[in-house]
Amino acid sequence: MSRYTGPSWKLGRRLNYSTLETGKELAKRPYGPGKAPGTRAKKLSEYGRQLTEKQKLRFTYGVSEKQFANLFKQAKAKKGVVTGTAFMQLLESRLDNLVYRIGFGRTRRAARQLVNHGHILVNGKKVDIPSYACNAGDVITLKEASKNLKVVVESLESLTVVVPYVEINKETKEGKFIRLPERNELARDIDDSQIVEYYNRKL
């Protein structure tokens, strides 16, 4: 399955989860698309619950099914780390996600576009691969010619929440990936154990 490129709000309502992490999708219409207000949600099977949790996380980070499954395999191979936590750490370490966390893009989709178009430097070198795996200590900046892009300036101005595992200097438009996040710093509404169960039966 390819990466989802449809409307994010409709997707969030369908999953009953804010994939944009703002809650705006559900604030106005807290029910699925095509359903009347107050309609009782269909009870999911165990597999259905696992699939839903997987989709919530996959669509939040905007990765393809193939990429998602490959990252899970990497997480499962890690020693001394809970698989679900390792999986989410790998997702957070993606370059497009960190560009979003630093505030260069208002959404992960916008951040991915900045990476694709060659605006982003990692430790001073251009990287145009959104799935690039960053390491703790990596410094992420914009090319000098890209620092005054309107979308970047407006995104940084609107940034109000900074996660504790990145440092941001809005003046120099520079960010640093300090460390891997802890599980309690990541999406608490995601039941990663259900995702682990999903892939344990699929892979």
Side-chain angles (χ1 to χ4, degrees), residues 1-5 11 14-15 17 19 51-69 71 87 91 94 108 112 190 195 198-199:
M1 184 181 292
S2 61
R3 181 179 294 112
Y4 178 79
T5 58
L11 176 63
R14 191 178 81 206
L15 294 171
Y17 180 79
T19 58
L51 177 62
T52 297
E53 291 303 305
K54 188 267 290 186
Q55 296 293 66
K56 282 159 62 173
L57 191 63
R58 184 169 82 82
F59 287 128
T60 294
Y61 287 93
V63 300
S64 69
E65 180 59 54
K66 184 177 181 180
Q67 287 177 316
F68 204 68
L71 281 174
F87 187 32
L91 287 163
R94 284 172 54 100
R108 287 185 179 87
R112 187 176 303 114
I190 296 286
I195 301 171
Y198 174 86
Y199 278 116

Side-chain angles (χ1 to χ4, degrees), residues 80-93:
V81 187
V82 176
T83 299
T85 300
F87 187 32
M88 296 181 77
Q89 288 175 336
L90 287 171
L91 287 163
E92 278 292 313
S93 301

